[in-house]
Amino acid sequence: LQRWVNAIERKKQAILYGPPGTGKTFLAMLLAKHIIGGSDGFFEIVQFHPAYAYEDFIQGIRPQVNSEGHLDYPIVKGRFLTFCEKATKCNGLCVLVIDEINRANLARVFGELMYLLEYRDQEVPLASGNNLRIPENVRIIGTMNTADRSIALVDHALRRRFAFLALSPNFDILRRYHKDTDFDVEPLIVVLNRLNRQINDRHYEIGISFFLCDNLNEQIEDIWRMEIEPYLEEYFFDQRDKVEEFSWGKVAQEIQK
């Protein structure tokens, strides 16, 4: 964790990446709170999606009705510009968490920000005539689901500007979580290890957060049938035998020993 904090401080921006269920967003928010460290800084979270655009993040023209009932077309600041303005009023570090960062077309959304991510001491002119500069106390933490095929949209120019922090399924966390519950997780861990070996790709492994609930004895069948099986049907879409091998009907007895 300290190495991750050091990496965020060195690069000023980092991405937590890994397969589904490894706690990327949960950890990103905890890291943000830790980095703020009780100062007057703050953190905010924004989630990217395929329709997210430069106009939403940096600035863009937004039609508005004026007091006379006519349409005006002012240039309105986006989420990142308003975040930076707020950060300039703070002495402590301020963290913007970008969830699902690879879901948007990043080159288009970031625009001039691509340059500033690498050269933090510079500023660039915007189309509106104003200048864009990232305040010294701003940090960015993104999350990236490696099972999402939109990861291909993350080009090498962007990869160079971020520290990448890998997350993988940590079954010790699952053990600790269920230490005081009535669910024996060891048989489940055996099945998950076998399943992840069959998947044979660390970007698509099944994580642990699916199973972090207090009443897992009551929920395990629904979780497996409604969340794990659909995921496997998509991943093994042309290998029906592997889907059947890990269907609830095949693994139920083993998990619920």
Side-chain angles (χ1 to χ4, degrees):
L1 284 171
Q2 188 58 50
R3 281 200 302 272
W4 288 3
V5 172
N6 292 343
I8 294 169
E9 185 56 33
R10 184 180 70 254
K11 297 289 286 187
K12 314 300 184 190
Q13 52 264 342
I15 290 177
L16 296 170
Y17 72 100
T22 46
K24 297 177 289 296
T25 304
F26 177 77
L27 184 55
M29 289 192 289
L30 288 182
L31 275 171
K33 292 176 184 177
H34 175 74
I35 290 168
I36 293 166
S39 69
D40 66 343
F42 65 95
F43 85 93
E44 293 181 0
I45 184 166
V46 58
Q47 187 178 67
F48 280 3
H49 51 77
Y52 208 81
Y54 176 89
E55 292 78 9
D56 302 307
F57 197 59
I58 305 297
Q59 66 176 13
I61 294 174
R62 290 287 183 263
Q64 294 180 2
V65 178
N66 61 27
S67 58
E68 298 176 355
H70 300 136
L71 273 178
D72 284 338
Y73 298 90
I75 294 178
V76 177
K77 294 171 183 173
R79 187 68 181 273
F80 185 70
L81 259 62
T82 55
F83 177 88
C84 288
E85 281 190 356
K86 189 176 173 183
T88 58
K89 301 173 183 176
C90 301
N91 294 315
L93 296 178
C94 303
V95 184
L96 180 64
V97 176
I98 305 177
D99 195 36
E100 303 282 3
I101 192 171
N102 56 311
R103 294 282 290 157
N105 185 335
L106 294 180
R108 184 179 186 280
V109 171
F110 282 171
E112 299 92 344
L113 185 59
M114 288 284 284
Y115 175 81
L116 295 178
L117 289 174
E118 187 167 10
Y119 301 102
R120 280 292 195 109
D121 58 340
Q122 305 288 318
E123 64 178 37
V124 294
L126 297 173
S128 63
N130 297 321
N131 291 328
L132 171 61
R133 181 179 176 275
I134 305 176
E136 177 58 33
N137 62 337
V138 165
R139 304 292 181 268
I140 300 171
I141 302 177
T143 70
M144 179 182 295
N145 185 348
T146 53
D148 192 326
R149 288 170 178 81
S150 63
I151 192 173
L153 298 176
V154 183
D155 61 25
H156 291 288
L158 192 74
R159 292 174 191 270
R160 191 176 70 248
R161 288 161 168 80
F162 282 80
F164 278 74
L165 315 176
L167 280 173
S168 57
N170 186 339
F171 295 118
D172 284 337
I173 293 173
L174 194 59
R175 289 186 178 98
R176 288 200 296 272
Y177 185 93
H178 286 287
K179 184 180 179 182
D180 298 321
T181 71
D182 59 353
F183 188 86
D184 181 10
V185 295
E186 293 304 326
L188 172 62
I189 290 172
V190 170
V191 171
L192 290 175
N193 273 319
R194 192 169 73 246
L195 174 54
N196 284 337
R197 284 196 298 273
Q198 282 288 344
I199 291 174
N200 195 31
D201 187 333
R202 65 188 180 90
H203 296 312
Y204 293 89
E205 291 178 343
I206 301 295
I208 60 168
S209 65
F210 296 100
F211 311 102
L212 297 180
C213 58
D214 294 336
N215 58 342
L216 191 54
N217 263 325
E218 301 169 21
Q219 299 290 336
I220 183 65
E221 181 176 354
D222 287 347
I223 291 170
W224 199 273
R225 288 184 183 276
M226 300 177 194
E227 298 177 52
I228 305 302
E229 285 186 13
Y231 180 81
L232 296 179
E233 285 174 2
E234 180 181 2
Y235 185 76
F236 294 120
F237 71 95
D238 59 347
Q239 303 176 66
R240 190 64 202 173
D241 57 324
K242 291 186 177 180
V243 177
E244 290 294 333
E245 180 183 349
F246 291 97
S247 65
W248 177 250
K250 293 290 180 64
V251 302
Q253 216 170 11
E254 187 176 352
I255 290 175
Q256 295 182 315
K257 285 181 179 178

